[in-house]
Amino acid sequence: MANSLLNDPEILRELIMDHYQYPHNHKLTEDASYASVHMASDSCIDDITVQSKIEDGVIRDIRFDGVACTISTASTSMMTDLLKGKKVEEAKGIIDNYFGMIDAKEYDPDVLEEAVAFKNVYRQANRIKCATIGWKAISQMIDESEKES
């Protein structure tokens, strides 16, 4: 995505709304080989379950479902697109970049693709949990997968 588009608030808002209205990978599976993490927020309606299938150091699939606000749904949807098919090491770098952006620290916007739509979330402390809930779930599953191998 061209950098000029990343600075257009209207485009960023449209990206977020599109992922909220039509979230990607928004269906859980009954497949027992998937790891599953339930996350809920005490300050918002966010109550989601994120599932992943991590095999041979690669995130083969990520999906989620539940009730969540616009920010949480959109950021988790973007996260599933961004991390699916990535090697765990690469995914961890993307996740670190995302949290760097959310914490208003240095980050690489090219690595985050559409997820840069959340670059201003740090200005709204009450939205940080919403923008990170799905990302925290996949981080936990990656950590658990590394302990198992």
Side-chain angles (χ1 to χ4, degrees), residues 20-89:
Y20 172 65
Q21 292 170 325
Y22 310 102
H24 303 182
N25 307 297
H26 193 239
K27 184 176 193 245
L28 298 179
T29 181
E30 299 293 320
D31 186 333
S33 68
Y34 278 67
S36 184
V37 172
H38 174 256
M39 302 290 273
S41 172
D42 49 4
S43 59
C44 187
I45 65 165
D46 299 340
D47 189 339
I48 65 170
T49 297
V50 179
Q51 294 178 322
S52 71
K53 185 173 190 117
I54 302 172
E55 292 177 323
D56 304 320
V58 176
I59 300 173
R60 304 278 181 211
D61 193 19
I62 309 175
R63 42 186 64 220
F64 75 105
D65 201 2
V67 176
C69 71
T70 303
I71 300 291
S72 177
T73 301
S75 70
T76 303
S77 173
M78 289 178 193
M79 181 262 309
T80 64
D81 284 347
L82 201 51
L83 301 182
K84 192 187 285 193
K86 298 283 192 295
K87 290 184 177 177
V88 166
E89 285 309 310

